[in-house]
Amino acid sequence: MTEKQTYAADGFDWEGLRAHALEAAKRAYAPYSNFPVGAAGYADDGRLLQGCNVENAAYGVTLCAECGLVSSLHMTGGGRLTHFVCVNGSGEVIMPCGRCRQLLWENGGPDLLLMTVSGVKPMSEVLPDAFGPEALA
């Protein structure tokens, strides 16, 4: 990854956010898979949030990087996610798993912007026809 900042048409520094995700991936605890993952995002009040995967010998209880990021969102004041990216240990953009897409929907909604492997997309395209809190009303 280069030091150069690249801004999207809307002026957002996606490469800078990706660099924060890579920084988080370097702190991952992944002794079983050797696949570190880092996530970075912004809350609607401008807070930078980061998360990394934390594995466990019982694979099913492994914490995804997105889980750590959403926990940080709530621990530091709540709000809504506005921008998000997830990367592997080499800084390559990767897609959140299905469970984490639901978690991102709950905490960012349909307008949350994600850097994906095929460009920046709103959450409504990443998880179309999502089930969310409004479905329970």
Side-chain angles (χ1 to χ4, degrees), residues 17-117:
L17 188 60
R18 191 165 97 173
H20 288 297
L22 179 57
E23 176 185 311
K26 292 182 185 302
R27 293 189 171 99
Y29 177 70
Y32 306 104
S33 71
N34 293 311
F35 192 78
V37 175
Y42 281 103
D44 53 4
D45 64 0
R47 273 175 295 141
L48 171 66
L49 304 158
Q50 293 170 284
C52 63
N53 60 323
V54 178
E55 293 182 347
N56 185 292
Y59 282 108
V61 294
T62 291
L63 298 176
C64 296
E66 297 89 337
C67 294
L69 184 141
V70 168
S71 290
S72 180
L73 171 70
H74 290 283
M75 286 292 298
T76 61
R80 302 292 284 168
L81 295 171
T82 61
H83 297 80
F84 176 86
V85 65
C86 193
V87 302
N88 63 20
S90 299
E92 298 166 324
V93 174
I94 58 175
M95 292 299 293
C97 69
R99 177 184 80 157
C100 289
R101 291 178 194 201
Q102 180 68 35
L103 188 65
L104 292 170
W105 180 277
E106 292 270 336
N107 291 279
D111 297 326
L112 168 60
L113 295 176
L114 281 74
M115 177 187 271
T116 75
V117 297

